[in-house]
Amino acid sequence: MSNFALLFCFAFSTLSSFTALKRNDEPIIGVLAQEVYSPRPQNASYIAASYVKFLESAGARVVPVMINKTLEEYKTLFNSINGILYPGGGVSILTSGYANTARIFYELAIEANSRGDYFPVWGTCLGFEELTYLTSGKMLLSHTNTSGVALPLVFTNRSRESRMFKGFPSELLDALASEPITENSHKWSLTLAIYNSNADLRKFYKVLTTSSDGKNEFVSTMEAYGFPIYGTQWHPEKNAFEWTKPYIPHSPLAVKVTFFMADFFVNEARKNFHKFEDEEVEKRALIYNYNPVYTGIKSAFEQIYYF
Ligand SMILES: *[C@@H]1O[C@H](CO)[C@@H](O)[C@H](O)[C@H]1NC(C)=O
Ligand SMILES: *[C@@H]1O[C@H](CO)[C@@H](O)[C@H](O)[C@H]1NC(C)=O
Ligand SMILES: *[C@@H]1O[C@H](CO)[C@@H](O)[C@H](O)[C@H]1NC(C)=O
Ligand SMILES: *[C@@H]1O[C@H](CO)[C@@H](O)[C@H](O)[C@H]1NC(C)=O
């Protein structure tokens, strides 16, 4: 009897330490910077603070990923962080510094994941569009009337088996399907017809939801089949953290969407075990070294980090 109890205890503690080893409870996620949209004499790039708050709200710390660095610097940073987020914005997905850095991290992520080093990538809005370009090698976007509108999601039959929505409570899935609580701020979209006609995208991404501007059905949420790569054409971070536009939904369920999306992605980053070389290097890299500026009076964002 006591032997059995001992055995049980031992098995239990082995299992729990195994579980602890399989999870990184101190995830650090990179957020990609991009060129400033209106010239600020002393600043060349920025990150909207809502992306930082989005990840922080679910238990991650953030490191800004600056544009225009060398490949060597990016490789070192890649091996220090546990995931990367490509934010929305207004730069070119083909030729900007943002596009160039996104390509480097995408290629490093594909390579790492292929040898079992789990490294998640998330694209929001422009980041989603960038992913469609990186995967297909083609600019496949079409104009849609979606530059400032909250929409519901139409779930595909594939969404039930998705990693992304698996942990969502059913009241939240019902709300997403029936209420306009996903904020869209884009002039370009990947229409479902073009997705269906492109073998590279079809093989790589599972479409989880579509949305419509009334005329065109476009892909609004996707996840890669074989890689932890995710994209939303809409903005999960805005519901909780941005207030400058009247069409940003702030209902309790809309705000819950922000949190469940963040929780999902941060949990993906907890599966990665990259580490900074030492604590000093880590401290110098964190976003806490920068102060966001209050810009809500004249921009689409309440607060912005300028670099
Ligand atoms: C990046 O490099 C380009 C081309 O050299 C330059 O025009 C731009 O100002 C640089 N941006 C940053 C943020 O360093
Ligand atoms: C674009 O969509 C808005 C609603 O979001 C609608 O009021 C407007 O008429 C649409 N414009 C065109 C050209 O379809
Ligand atoms: C799911 O939807 C796709 C595309 O509409 C369709 O081809 C497929 O047969 C559907 N699968 C099931 C199990 O309903
Ligand atoms: C960017 O602008 C802020 C003011 O918004 C300034 O304090 C900071 O020094 C600038 N950063 C760089 C790297 O030029």
Side-chain angles (χ1 to χ4, degrees):
M1 187 69 190
S2 73
N3 271 354
F4 177 76
L6 196 68
L7 189 69
F8 178 77
C9 242
F10 176 74
F12 181 76
S13 68
T14 306
L15 182 69
S16 58
S17 66
F18 179 71
T19 308
L21 268 177
K22 296 291 274 186
R23 204 180 64 210
N24 173 5
D25 281 350
E26 300 176 355
I28 296 182
I29 299 177
V31 176
L32 182 55
Q34 67 187 274
E35 288 86 343
V36 287
Y37 44 90
S38 54
R40 277 176 67 95
Q42 75 277 44
N43 294 119
S45 69
Y46 80 97
I47 292 172
S50 46
Y51 295 97
V52 176
K53 298 173 198 183
F54 174 71
L55 297 171
E56 287 180 347
S57 76
R61 284 169 295 165
V62 166
V63 160
V65 177
M66 306 299 184
I67 58 175
N68 282 9
K69 301 288 184 189
T70 65
L71 180 59
E72 279 320 300
E73 287 173 294
Y74 285 142
K75 282 184 176 167
T76 303
L77 185 58
F78 179 82
N79 288 311
S80 310
I81 60 179
N82 309 116
I84 191 164
L85 186 153
Y86 302 159
V91 297
S92 165
I93 59 169
L94 309 184
T95 57
S96 63
Y98 168 99
N100 188 47
T101 306
R103 180 182 51 74
I104 291 169
F105 276 81
Y106 177 86
E107 286 170 0
L108 289 170
I110 295 284
E111 192 269 324
N113 283 300
S114 302
R115 60 179 157 74
D117 176 13
Y118 200 87
F119 187 92
V121 178
W122 182 284
T124 298
C125 200
L126 183 75
F128 171 103
E129 296 169 12
E130 184 73 64
L131 286 174
T132 69
Y133 174 67
L134 289 169
T135 303
S136 70
K138 294 201 177 93
M139 166 46 200
L140 296 170
L141 306 170
S142 315
H143 266 297
T144 49
N145 178 21
T146 43
S147 39
V149 63
L151 298 172
L153 301 178
V154 177
F155 287 91
T156 64
N157 58 14
R158 326 301 300 272
S159 62
R160 255 174 282 144
E161 39 178 288
S162 72
R163 300 184 296 274
M164 190 188 295
F165 290 115
K166 203 170 54 192
F168 275 50
S170 56
E171 67 157 359
L172 207 52
L173 294 172
D174 289 347
L176 280 164
S178 59
E179 297 174 30
I181 52 174
T182 65
E183 200 272 349
N184 288 259
S185 294
H186 52 104
K187 296 195 176 90
W188 298 92
S189 305
L190 177 68
T191 64
L192 189 61
I194 293 200
Y195 163 85
N196 280 329
S197 73
N198 185 276
D200 290 329
L201 290 182
R202 235 178 28 235
K203 259 190 295 180
F204 198 82
Y205 295 108
K206 183 190 292 186
V207 174
L208 305 187
T209 74
T210 60
S211 298
S212 173
D213 67 355
K215 289 198 189 107
N216 310 286
E217 190 180 10
F218 62 91
V219 178
S220 46
T221 312
M222 63 187 187
E223 73 179 22
Y225 285 100
F227 294 89
I229 299 180
Y230 305 92
T232 60
Q233 180 67 77
W234 50 284
H235 285 270
E237 78 291 347
K238 283 192 195 289
N239 294 1
F241 298 117
E242 297 291 5
W243 298 89
T244 59
K245 304 290 182 199
Y247 45 77
I248 301 173
H250 299 293
S251 68
L253 286 170
V255 171
K256 243 185 208 178
V257 170
T258 301
F259 178 71
F260 272 86
M261 293 305 260
D263 183 56
F264 168 73
F265 189 62
V266 172
N267 273 327
E268 288 291 280
R270 289 187 176 105
K271 298 174 187 165
N272 178 280
F273 293 89
H274 292 179
K275 266 187 103 55
F276 279 87
E277 185 185 326
D278 61 47
E279 212 174 304
E280 267 319 300
V281 178
E282 178 182 296
K283 279 186 175 156
R284 278 201 307 275
L286 291 167
I287 193 89
Y288 310 134
N289 291 286
Y290 305 89
N291 293 314
V293 178
Y294 175 39
T295 50
I297 301 150
K298 55 182 162 51
S299 101
F301 307 113
E302 292 296 346
Q303 293 183 302
I304 298 179
Y305 289 93
Y306 286 107
F307 309 108

